[in-house]
Each structure stands twice: as C-alpha cells, then as structure tokens.
Amino acid sequence: MSKRIFITGFGIITSIGKNAFESLDSLLKERSGFGSLDILQTAHHHTIPACEIKLEDNDLHALAGVQPHMGFTRAASLGIIAAKEAIASANLSKKEIQNSALISATSAGGIRELEKYYYQLKDNTQKGAFEEFVDTGNPGEHTERMAEYFGVKKQIGTISTACSSSANAIMLGAQLIKNNRVDRAICGGAEALSKFTINGFNALMILDPQHCRPFDASRKGLNLGEGAAYIVLESEEAMLESKREPLAELLGYANANDAFHVTASSPEGMGAYEAMRGALASGKVDPDQVGYINAHGTATENNDLSEGLAMQKLFGKNMPMFSSTKPYTGHTLAAAGSVEAAFCLMSMKESFIFPNLNFKIAMDELNIRPEVTLQAKKNLKYVLSNSFGFGGNTSSLLFGSV
C-alpha cells in the first residue's frame, strides 16, 4: 500500500486547444474558449454562451481516427483524442496498454446523441443510422468504446460523481496500482456539451450570460465547457523498469462528502476542507509547503464562498497562490478534475501559475485573493488541485515535483 505513483504522460483537448501544446499556448496568452454556441443546436444558441470546441463531430472522428457512422459519440471521440496523446506522451507499448486499467469519467455520457435522435429511436417502425446510438445513454458506454479502441484488457471502469468525477477516476487508478491490481492506469474524463446540461444548469439559475468571474464579488454563475483529459499513472517499479522519466508524482489524494445539499456545498466548506486536509495528510505534506492551488472556482455564489472559507481555514496566514482556470475552458463538469490536473502538470513543468481571469473585486467574506497575472519562474514543489461535485462530493489531488 506504500507504493509511490508517478505520472508519465498526459493528453488534453478543450475549447482552448486540441492538445497539450495548444492548451499551454492559450494559457500563457490568456486566450479563453468563451463564446457563442455554434456547434450544438439549441434554442439557447444566442442567449447562453459557453466554452465550446469549434469542431463538428466528423472533425473529431477524424482526429480520433474513428470512422463516422460507427456509433462513436462526441464524448467518446474527445476521450480517444486526449487518451491517444496521453499514451503517446508516456510512450506506452501495445502490451503495456493492454495490461493497463482504463478509468474514465463522464456526467452525461452520450446523451447528446440521444437528444438528436430521440424521436427516431422511440419509434419502433423507423430504422436508420441513428440506431448506432441506442446504447449511448449509458455513461459507461464511452469507456467501453475507448477500451475497445485502445485494446485495454486488464480492467476498465467508469466514474460519475458529477464535477469531481475525473479526479475520483485518478484516485481509483492510484488505488488499483497501490493494491497491486495493475502496474499502470490511464485515468481521466470526457464531457460533451448537450441540451441536457445546458437546460439543467439554466434551470438551476447558475449560468452567467457573461464571461464567468471566479472569486469575484460580482460573480453570477458559471460558463459550461466541453473537453477531455487523461493522465498515465505508473507504479515506481513499472516506471523504473520502463526507464521512463516522470512528469510528477501523485503524492496524495482524498475524497469527502459534506452531504449538505443535492446541488450545493455546505456554506462553511466542510467537504472542501476535509478533502484538502486529507490529500495533504495522505501525502505527508504540511499546508505551508503548498505552492499553488488550482481551485475548483466555478464562479457560482455558493462554491466560491464555500471553497474560499475552506482554504482560509486550512492554510490560515500561509495561504498559497491560487487561481481558477475555468474562465479559460468553462466548467467541463466530469472532465474538470483531469483537465485541471493537466494544467497543474503544465504549471509544474513550465514554472508558471496561470491567472484567474476576470477577477476585479474581492469578496467581502474572504481575506484572500486569486492570482490575476501570469506568474513566471515559480518553482512549484507541491501543487493541490480541487474538484467539487454536486451532492457535496469533494476531491483534492496533491502533486509533487520530481
């Protein structure tokens, strides 16, 4: 159970880039994916902006290397694109891939395709190409598609715990390695924008028609986004045998649940506090050693206050630099944990802290402020990444430099 776990590769696709290189360039140039909905067909096309990947489904199929009309959903294609980059980044062999675990996360799965073909699928007298999407409402369908595509044989699993999903996928992959179930795991999440998510969050009245402003006193809600990211975890023994150079070490992690409300965190941030405290304790790192926190920072009134109070309570006067990167990509829901884990890896590798865009006015309830300018030449030894989901499902990941 004391095995050390290292990260040897990662891949990402969001509204700010089709890969890690493009994503880093956007982060450094403070280029956001925020804008109108041009690909998803919705009645809210002109009224609800989001961070949408400006590629049609067939373009994503081509990037993923899959054939159209074979039942690959937008979420599955995004997952394959990001996982392909992660696998190439780690230079995994075919045998290593087969013997890896694939743990993937999603909230809505292939519901986007079900929405499109709902009436045809409901009519038993109709037949057509839409039948390939009949099973895509199952969140695990995209994982099975990815496993088949890559030839993963050892173990596959799907996590769906709302916005903490892909952070929990990374945690599950680490636990499989620690318990000698696998030597390596490909972990992350994929999420595509859909009418279901747009309408659902709109009904909750937590969408901002303007560009979101995490931790700002004027914040009015989040912007939705889509994307995917995966990281390759390896045991120390497997990494040494393969002679790979690690990007970072997954030092600690924790999940907590404050069980306060079905869609809101506890006002005092107990779940967030316990997740961060637990991650640091499992990694044997003191709060004053943390150099940066990639905050969950959704720009909703409840989350930012809850998370801010939790950070103040845990770190006190030794508050590390922190920022939310959601103004770049929007809130990618189940994929947020792995997307922001990838950003943390970029921060550590490139020695940058990416700014919290759009912050201007400090919250009266907090005495802390996020970083608002790009911070360069930061030697980050320990970085914390927060992902908090509906129902109070809160998770934190602790990364260490190597």
Side-chain angles (χ1 to χ4, degrees), residues 348-376:
M348 298 177 78
K349 182 181 178 182
E350 305 295 336
S351 302
F352 283 106
I353 290 177
F354 308 119
N356 194 116
L357 302 180
N358 305 327
F359 177 86
K360 293 180 180 178
I361 308 169
M363 296 166 58
D364 291 337
E365 304 91 338
L366 301 178
N367 56 28
I368 57 175
R369 296 183 176 212
E371 296 302 313
V372 296
T373 58
L374 183 70
Q375 301 291 312

PDB file of all heavy atoms in Angstrom, residues 348-376:
ATOM      1  N   MET A 348       3.740  22.964 -13.164  1.00  0.00           N
ATOM      2  CA  MET A 348       4.945  22.453 -12.520  1.00  0.00           C
ATOM      3  C   MET A 348       6.100  22.319 -13.512  1.00  0.00           C
ATOM      4  O   MET A 348       7.243  22.657 -13.207  1.00  0.00           O
ATOM      5  CB  MET A 348       4.646  21.112 -11.860  1.00  0.00           C
ATOM      6  CG  MET A 348       3.590  21.205 -10.763  1.00  0.00           C
ATOM      7  SD  MET A 348       3.155  19.628 -10.041  1.00  0.00           S
ATOM      8  CE  MET A 348       4.562  19.377  -8.961  1.00  0.00           C
ATOM      9  N   LYS A 349       5.785  21.842 -14.707  1.00  0.00           N
ATOM     10  CA  LYS A 349       6.832  21.626 -15.709  1.00  0.00           C
ATOM     11  C   LYS A 349       7.394  22.942 -16.245  1.00  0.00           C
ATOM     12  O   LYS A 349       8.604  23.087 -16.443  1.00  0.00           O
ATOM     13  CB  LYS A 349       6.279  20.788 -16.864  1.00  0.00           C
ATOM     14  CG  LYS A 349       7.309  20.473 -17.943  1.00  0.00           C
ATOM     15  CD  LYS A 349       6.689  19.659 -19.074  1.00  0.00           C
ATOM     16  CE  LYS A 349       7.713  19.392 -20.177  1.00  0.00           C
ATOM     17  NZ  LYS A 349       7.119  18.643 -21.312  1.00  0.00           N
ATOM     18  N   GLU A 350       6.483  23.911 -16.485  1.00  0.00           N
ATOM     19  CA  GLU A 350       6.895  25.163 -17.122  1.00  0.00           C
ATOM     20  C   GLU A 350       7.175  26.283 -16.126  1.00  0.00           C
ATOM     21  O   GLU A 350       7.579  27.379 -16.522  1.00  0.00           O
ATOM     22  CB  GLU A 350       5.810  25.621 -18.100  1.00  0.00           C
ATOM     23  CG  GLU A 350       5.419  24.586 -19.145  1.00  0.00           C
ATOM     24  CD  GLU A 350       6.547  24.253 -20.106  1.00  0.00           C
ATOM     25  OE1 GLU A 350       7.454  25.113 -20.271  1.00  0.00           O
ATOM     26  OE2 GLU A 350       6.522  23.152 -20.693  1.00  0.00           O
ATOM     27  N   SER A 351       6.928  26.041 -14.839  1.00  0.00           N
ATOM     28  CA  SER A 351       7.169  27.022 -13.775  1.00  0.00           C
ATOM     29  C   SER A 351       6.313  28.277 -13.912  1.00  0.00           C
ATOM     30  O   SER A 351       6.761  29.404 -13.673  1.00  0.00           O
ATOM     31  CB  SER A 351       8.657  27.414 -13.721  1.00  0.00           C
ATOM     32  OG  SER A 351       9.459  26.280 -13.504  1.00  0.00           O
ATOM     33  N   PHE A 352       5.058  28.082 -14.305  1.00  0.00           N
ATOM     34  CA  PHE A 352       4.105  29.175 -14.424  1.00  0.00           C
ATOM     35  C   PHE A 352       2.909  28.927 -13.523  1.00  0.00           C
ATOM     36  O   PHE A 352       2.511  27.786 -13.290  1.00  0.00           O
ATOM     37  CB  PHE A 352       3.581  29.299 -15.862  1.00  0.00           C
ATOM     38  CG  PHE A 352       4.539  29.957 -16.821  1.00  0.00           C
ATOM     39  CD1 PHE A 352       5.212  29.200 -17.761  1.00  0.00           C
ATOM     40  CD2 PHE A 352       4.736  31.330 -16.789  1.00  0.00           C
ATOM     41  CE1 PHE A 352       6.088  29.795 -18.658  1.00  0.00           C
ATOM     42  CE2 PHE A 352       5.606  31.930 -17.695  1.00  0.00           C
ATOM     43  CZ  PHE A 352       6.289  31.164 -18.625  1.00  0.00           C
ATOM     44  N   ILE A 353       2.305  30.012 -13.062  1.00  0.00           N
ATOM     45  CA  ILE A 353       0.988  29.957 -12.426  1.00  0.00           C
ATOM     46  C   ILE A 353       0.056  30.764 -13.300  1.00  0.00           C
ATOM     47  O   ILE A 353       0.292  31.956 -13.559  1.00  0.00           O
ATOM     48  CB  ILE A 353       1.019  30.506 -10.991  1.00  0.00           C
ATOM     49  CG1 ILE A 353       1.782  29.539 -10.080  1.00  0.00           C
ATOM     50  CG2 ILE A 353      -0.396  30.727 -10.462  1.00  0.00           C
ATOM     51  CD1 ILE A 353       1.942  30.023  -8.664  1.00  0.00           C
ATOM     52  N   PHE A 354      -0.988  30.128 -13.785  1.00  0.00           N
ATOM     53  CA  PHE A 354      -1.900  30.775 -14.719  1.00  0.00           C
ATOM     54  C   PHE A 354      -2.895  31.653 -13.963  1.00  0.00           C
ATOM     55  O   PHE A 354      -3.386  31.290 -12.898  1.00  0.00           O
ATOM     56  CB  PHE A 354      -2.629  29.719 -15.555  1.00  0.00           C
ATOM     57  CG  PHE A 354      -1.694  28.741 -16.198  1.00  0.00           C
ATOM     58  CD1 PHE A 354      -1.761  27.389 -15.903  1.00  0.00           C
ATOM     59  CD2 PHE A 354      -0.712  29.172 -17.082  1.00  0.00           C
ATOM     60  CE1 PHE A 354      -0.887  26.487 -16.475  1.00  0.00           C
ATOM     61  CE2 PHE A 354       0.177  28.276 -17.663  1.00  0.00           C
ATOM     62  CZ  PHE A 354       0.086  26.922 -17.358  1.00  0.00           C
ATOM     63  N   PRO A 355      -3.212  32.823 -14.519  1.00  0.00           N
ATOM     64  CA  PRO A 355      -4.038  33.785 -13.788  1.00  0.00           C
ATOM     65  C   PRO A 355      -5.514  33.425 -13.739  1.00  0.00           C
ATOM     66  O   PRO A 355      -6.034  32.691 -14.581  1.00  0.00           O
ATOM     67  CB  PRO A 355      -3.828  35.085 -14.574  1.00  0.00           C
ATOM     68  CG  PRO A 355      -3.518  34.632 -15.964  1.00  0.00           C
ATOM     69  CD  PRO A 355      -2.740  33.358 -15.807  1.00  0.00           C
ATOM     70  N   ASN A 356      -6.171  33.964 -12.748  1.00  0.00           N
ATOM     71  CA  ASN A 356      -7.614  33.862 -12.567  1.00  0.00           C
ATOM     72  C   ASN A 356      -8.228  35.007 -13.368  1.00  0.00           C
ATOM     73  O   ASN A 356      -8.302  36.144 -12.897  1.00  0.00           O
ATOM     74  CB  ASN A 356      -7.941  34.001 -11.079  1.00  0.00           C
ATOM     75  CG  ASN A 356      -9.344  33.602 -10.706  1.00  0.00           C
ATOM     76  OD1 ASN A 356      -9.554  32.656  -9.974  1.00  0.00           O
ATOM     77  ND2 ASN A 356     -10.340  34.337 -11.198  1.00  0.00           N
ATOM     78  N   LEU A 357      -8.655  34.729 -14.596  1.00  0.00           N
ATOM     79  CA  LEU A 357      -9.163  35.776 -15.464  1.00  0.00           C
ATOM     80  C   LEU A 357     -10.413  36.428 -14.880  1.00  0.00           C
ATOM     81  O   LEU A 357     -11.200  35.794 -14.177  1.00  0.00           O
ATOM     82  CB  LEU A 357      -9.493  35.198 -16.845  1.00  0.00           C
ATOM     83  CG  LEU A 357      -8.365  34.499 -17.614  1.00  0.00           C
ATOM     84  CD1 LEU A 357      -8.879  33.997 -18.952  1.00  0.00           C
ATOM     85  CD2 LEU A 357      -7.173  35.421 -17.805  1.00  0.00           C
ATOM     86  N   ASN A 358     -10.588  37.702 -15.180  1.00  0.00           N
ATOM     87  CA  ASN A 358     -11.813  38.475 -14.899  1.00  0.00           C
ATOM     88  C   ASN A 358     -11.987  38.875 -13.441  1.00  0.00           C
ATOM     89  O   ASN A 358     -13.003  39.475 -13.095  1.00  0.00           O
ATOM     90  CB  ASN A 358     -13.068  37.719 -15.361  1.00  0.00           C
ATOM     91  CG  ASN A 358     -13.003  37.331 -16.827  1.00  0.00           C
ATOM     92  OD1 ASN A 358     -12.425  38.040 -17.640  1.00  0.00           O
ATOM     93  ND2 ASN A 358     -13.589  36.189 -17.162  1.00  0.00           N
ATOM     94  N   PHE A 359     -11.026  38.555 -12.578  1.00  0.00           N
ATOM     95  CA  PHE A 359     -11.164  38.952 -11.170  1.00  0.00           C
ATOM     96  C   PHE A 359     -10.842  40.446 -11.018  1.00  0.00           C
ATOM     97  O   PHE A 359      -9.797  40.920 -11.456  1.00  0.00           O
ATOM     98  CB  PHE A 359     -10.227  38.135 -10.281  1.00  0.00           C
ATOM     99  CG  PHE A 359     -10.267  38.559  -8.831  1.00  0.00           C
ATOM    100  CD1 PHE A 359     -11.212  38.038  -7.971  1.00  0.00           C
ATOM    101  CD2 PHE A 359      -9.372  39.506  -8.341  1.00  0.00           C
ATOM    102  CE1 PHE A 359     -11.268  38.443  -6.642  1.00  0.00           C
ATOM    103  CE2 PHE A 359      -9.412  39.912  -7.027  1.00  0.00           C
ATOM    104  CZ  PHE A 359     -10.366  39.378  -6.173  1.00  0.00           C
ATOM    105  N   LYS A 360     -11.765  41.158 -10.341  1.00  0.00           N
ATOM    106  CA  LYS A 360     -11.559  42.588 -10.087  1.00  0.00           C
ATOM    107  C   LYS A 360     -11.889  42.996  -8.657  1.00  0.00           C
ATOM    108  O   LYS A 360     -11.174  43.782  -8.048  1.00  0.00           O
ATOM    109  CB  LYS A 360     -12.398  43.415 -11.069  1.00  0.00           C
ATOM    110  CG  LYS A 360     -11.949  43.308 -12.513  1.00  0.00           C
ATOM    111  CD  LYS A 360     -12.821  44.160 -13.424  1.00  0.00           C
ATOM    112  CE  LYS A 360     -12.357  44.050 -14.871  1.00  0.00           C
ATOM    113  NZ  LYS A 360     -13.219  44.848 -15.788  1.00  0.00           N
ATOM    114  N   ILE A 361     -13.005  42.477  -8.128  1.00  0.00           N
ATOM    115  CA  ILE A 361     -13.493  42.940  -6.833  1.00  0.00           C
ATOM    116  C   ILE A 361     -13.437  41.810  -5.813  1.00  0.00           C
ATOM    117  O   ILE A 361     -14.028  40.745  -6.010  1.00  0.00           O
ATOM    118  CB  ILE A 361     -14.946  43.443  -6.932  1.00  0.00           C
ATOM    119  CG1 ILE A 361     -15.077  44.476  -8.060  1.00  0.00           C
ATOM    120  CG2 ILE A 361     -15.402  44.044  -5.611  1.00  0.00           C
ATOM    121  CD1 ILE A 361     -16.501  44.825  -8.404  1.00  0.00           C
ATOM    122  N   ALA A 362     -12.724  42.013  -4.719  1.00  0.00           N
ATOM    123  CA  ALA A 362     -12.599  40.981  -3.691  1.00  0.00           C
ATOM    124  C   ALA A 362     -13.931  40.743  -2.994  1.00  0.00           C
ATOM    125  O   ALA A 362     -14.749  41.665  -2.825  1.00  0.00           O
ATOM    126  CB  ALA A 362     -11.540  41.377  -2.674  1.00  0.00           C
ATOM    127  N   MET A 363     -14.152  39.519  -2.567  1.00  0.00           N
ATOM    128  CA  MET A 363     -15.351  39.167  -1.811  1.00  0.00           C
ATOM    129  C   MET A 363     -15.224  39.680  -0.382  1.00  0.00           C
ATOM    130  O   MET A 363     -14.169  39.548   0.241  1.00  0.00           O
ATOM    131  CB  MET A 363     -15.532  37.641  -1.820  1.00  0.00           C
ATOM    132  CG  MET A 363     -15.774  37.061  -3.201  1.00  0.00           C
ATOM    133  SD  MET A 363     -15.570  35.248  -3.262  1.00  0.00           S
ATOM    134  CE  MET A 363     -16.785  34.743  -2.027  1.00  0.00           C
ATOM    135  N   ASP A 364     -16.308  40.244   0.134  1.00  0.00           N
ATOM    136  CA  ASP A 364     -16.295  40.778   1.492  1.00  0.00           C
ATOM    137  C   ASP A 364     -16.038  39.695   2.534  1.00  0.00           C
ATOM    138  O   ASP A 364     -15.435  39.964   3.582  1.00  0.00           O
ATOM    139  CB  ASP A 364     -17.640  41.449   1.805  1.00  0.00           C
ATOM    140  CG  ASP A 364     -17.852  42.727   1.008  1.00  0.00           C
ATOM    141  OD1 ASP A 364     -16.841  43.320   0.566  1.00  0.00           O
ATOM    142  OD2 ASP A 364     -19.019  43.119   0.828  1.00  0.00           O
ATOM    143  N   GLU A 365     -16.491  38.471   2.244  1.00  0.00           N
ATOM    144  CA  GLU A 365     -16.400  37.382   3.227  1.00  0.00           C
ATOM    145  C   GLU A 365     -15.000  36.768   3.324  1.00  0.00           C
ATOM    146  O   GLU A 365     -14.722  35.994   4.246  1.00  0.00           O
ATOM    147  CB  GLU A 365     -17.396  36.281   2.889  1.00  0.00           C
ATOM    148  CG  GLU A 365     -18.842  36.728   2.786  1.00  0.00           C
ATOM    149  CD  GLU A 365     -19.211  37.145   1.361  1.00  0.00           C
ATOM    150  OE1 GLU A 365     -18.293  37.484   0.576  1.00  0.00           O
ATOM    151  OE2 GLU A 365     -20.410  37.117   1.034  1.00  0.00           O
ATOM    152  N   LEU A 366     -14.121  37.074   2.350  1.00  0.00           N
ATOM    153  CA  LEU A 366     -12.800  36.445   2.310  1.00  0.00           C
ATOM    154  C   LEU A 366     -11.696  37.485   2.441  1.00  0.00           C
ATOM    155  O   LEU A 366     -11.853  38.636   2.007  1.00  0.00           O
ATOM    156  CB  LEU A 366     -12.613  35.678   0.992  1.00  0.00           C
ATOM    157  CG  LEU A 366     -13.605  34.565   0.666  1.00  0.00           C
ATOM    158  CD1 LEU A 366     -13.283  33.959  -0.692  1.00  0.00           C
ATOM    159  CD2 LEU A 366     -13.585  33.491   1.751  1.00  0.00           C
ATOM    160  N   ASN A 367     -10.583  37.063   3.012  1.00  0.00           N
ATOM    161  CA  ASN A 367      -9.414  37.942   3.071  1.00  0.00           C
ATOM    162  C   ASN A 367      -8.303  37.458   2.136  1.00  0.00           C
ATOM    163  O   ASN A 367      -7.149  37.834   2.293  1.00  0.00           O
ATOM    164  CB  ASN A 367      -8.893  38.062   4.506  1.00  0.00           C
ATOM    165  CG  ASN A 367      -8.568  36.710   5.117  1.00  0.00           C
ATOM    166  OD1 ASN A 367      -8.227  35.764   4.409  1.00  0.00           O
ATOM    167  ND2 ASN A 367      -8.684  36.607   6.442  1.00  0.00           N
ATOM    168  N   ILE A 368      -8.661  36.612   1.178  1.00  0.00           N
ATOM    169  CA  ILE A 368      -7.708  36.083   0.205  1.00  0.00           C
ATOM    170  C   ILE A 368      -8.146  36.480  -1.199  1.00  0.00           C
ATOM    171  O   ILE A 368      -9.321  36.717  -1.452  1.00  0.00           O
ATOM    172  CB  ILE A 368      -7.587  34.547   0.303  1.00  0.00           C
ATOM    173  CG1 ILE A 368      -8.962  33.890   0.118  1.00  0.00           C
ATOM    174  CG2 ILE A 368      -6.953  34.140   1.623  1.00  0.00           C
ATOM    175  CD1 ILE A 368      -8.935  32.370   0.076  1.00  0.00           C
ATOM    176  N   ARG A 369      -7.160  36.540  -2.106  1.00  0.00           N
ATOM    177  CA  ARG A 369      -7.422  36.910  -3.490  1.00  0.00           C
ATOM    178  C   ARG A 369      -6.669  35.965  -4.416  1.00  0.00           C
ATOM    179  O   ARG A 369      -5.523  35.599  -4.124  1.00  0.00           O
ATOM    180  CB  ARG A 369      -6.970  38.343  -3.775  1.00  0.00           C
ATOM    181  CG  ARG A 369      -7.722  39.409  -3.002  1.00  0.00           C
ATOM    182  CD  ARG A 369      -7.248  40.773  -3.405  1.00  0.00           C
ATOM    183  NE  ARG A 369      -8.014  41.834  -2.743  1.00  0.00           N
ATOM    184  CZ  ARG A 369      -8.260  43.011  -3.311  1.00  0.00           C
ATOM    185  NH1 ARG A 369      -7.799  43.279  -4.514  1.00  0.00           N
ATOM    186  NH2 ARG A 369      -8.971  43.918  -2.665  1.00  0.00           N
ATOM    187  N   PRO A 370      -7.274  35.616  -5.557  1.00  0.00           N
ATOM    188  CA  PRO A 370      -6.559  34.776  -6.510  1.00  0.00           C
ATOM    189  C   PRO A 370      -5.500  35.570  -7.271  1.00  0.00           C
ATOM    190  O   PRO A 370      -5.520  36.809  -7.284  1.00  0.00           O
ATOM    191  CB  PRO A 370      -7.670  34.311  -7.459  1.00  0.00           C
ATOM    192  CG  PRO A 370      -8.656  35.437  -7.427  1.00  0.00           C
ATOM    193  CD  PRO A 370      -8.636  35.956  -6.018  1.00  0.00           C
ATOM    194  N   GLU A 371      -4.605  34.845  -7.903  1.00  0.00           N
ATOM    195  CA  GLU A 371      -3.596  35.491  -8.748  1.00  0.00           C
ATOM    196  C   GLU A 371      -4.271  36.000 -10.029  1.00  0.00           C
ATOM    197  O   GLU A 371      -5.036  35.279 -10.658  1.00  0.00           O
ATOM    198  CB  GLU A 371      -2.478  34.507  -9.112  1.00  0.00           C
ATOM    199  CG  GLU A 371      -1.673  34.025  -7.922  1.00  0.00           C
ATOM    200  CD  GLU A 371      -1.027  35.167  -7.160  1.00  0.00           C
ATOM    201  OE1 GLU A 371      -0.429  36.050  -7.809  1.00  0.00           O
ATOM    202  OE2 GLU A 371      -1.132  35.189  -5.928  1.00  0.00           O
ATOM    203  N   VAL A 372      -3.987  37.214 -10.413  1.00  0.00           N
ATOM    204  CA  VAL A 372      -4.659  37.810 -11.564  1.00  0.00           C
ATOM    205  C   VAL A 372      -3.710  38.071 -12.736  1.00  0.00           C
ATOM    206  O   VAL A 372      -4.150  38.484 -13.810  1.00  0.00           O
ATOM    207  CB  VAL A 372      -5.367  39.123 -11.170  1.00  0.00           C
ATOM    208  CG1 VAL A 372      -6.470  38.836 -10.175  1.00  0.00           C
ATOM    209  CG2 VAL A 372      -4.382  40.148 -10.619  1.00  0.00           C
ATOM    210  N   THR A 373      -2.420  37.848 -12.526  1.00  0.00           N
ATOM    211  CA  THR A 373      -1.458  37.989 -13.618  1.00  0.00           C
ATOM    212  C   THR A 373      -0.649  36.702 -13.731  1.00  0.00           C
ATOM    213  O   THR A 373      -0.505  35.950 -12.762  1.00  0.00           O
ATOM    214  CB  THR A 373      -0.497  39.172 -13.382  1.00  0.00           C
ATOM    215  OG1 THR A 373       0.196  38.970 -12.136  1.00  0.00           O
ATOM    216  CG2 THR A 373      -1.260  40.487 -13.345  1.00  0.00           C
ATOM    217  N   LEU A 374      -0.120  36.472 -14.899  1.00  0.00           N
ATOM    218  CA  LEU A 374       0.698  35.287 -15.126  1.00  0.00           C
ATOM    219  C   LEU A 374       1.962  35.362 -14.278  1.00  0.00           C
ATOM    220  O   LEU A 374       2.712  36.331 -14.348  1.00  0.00           O
ATOM    221  CB  LEU A 374       1.066  35.185 -16.609  1.00  0.00           C
ATOM    222  CG  LEU A 374       1.861  33.953 -17.034  1.00  0.00           C
ATOM    223  CD1 LEU A 374       0.983  32.697 -16.961  1.00  0.00           C
ATOM    224  CD2 LEU A 374       2.402  34.133 -18.453  1.00  0.00           C
ATOM    225  N   GLN A 375       2.167  34.351 -13.453  1.00  0.00           N
ATOM    226  CA  GLN A 375       3.337  34.301 -12.575  1.00  0.00           C
ATOM    227  C   GLN A 375       4.374  33.350 -13.184  1.00  0.00           C
ATOM    228  O   GLN A 375       4.102  32.159 -13.373  1.00  0.00           O
ATOM    229  CB  GLN A 375       2.932  33.811 -11.191  1.00  0.00           C
ATOM    230  CG  GLN A 375       1.882  34.668 -10.509  1.00  0.00           C
ATOM    231  CD  GLN A 375       2.433  36.033 -10.130  1.00  0.00           C
ATOM    232  OE1 GLN A 375       3.505  36.152  -9.558  1.00  0.00           O
ATOM    233  NE2 GLN A 375       1.674  37.075 -10.456  1.00  0.00           N
ATOM    234  N   ALA A 376       5.547  33.876 -13.497  1.00  0.00           N
ATOM    235  CA  ALA A 376       6.596  33.087 -14.149  1.00  0.00           C
ATOM    236  C   ALA A 376       7.705  32.739 -13.172  1.00  0.00           C
ATOM    237  O   ALA A 376       7.831  33.339 -12.097  1.00  0.00           O
ATOM    238  CB  ALA A 376       7.163  33.858 -15.338  1.00  0.00           C
TER     239      ALA A 376
END
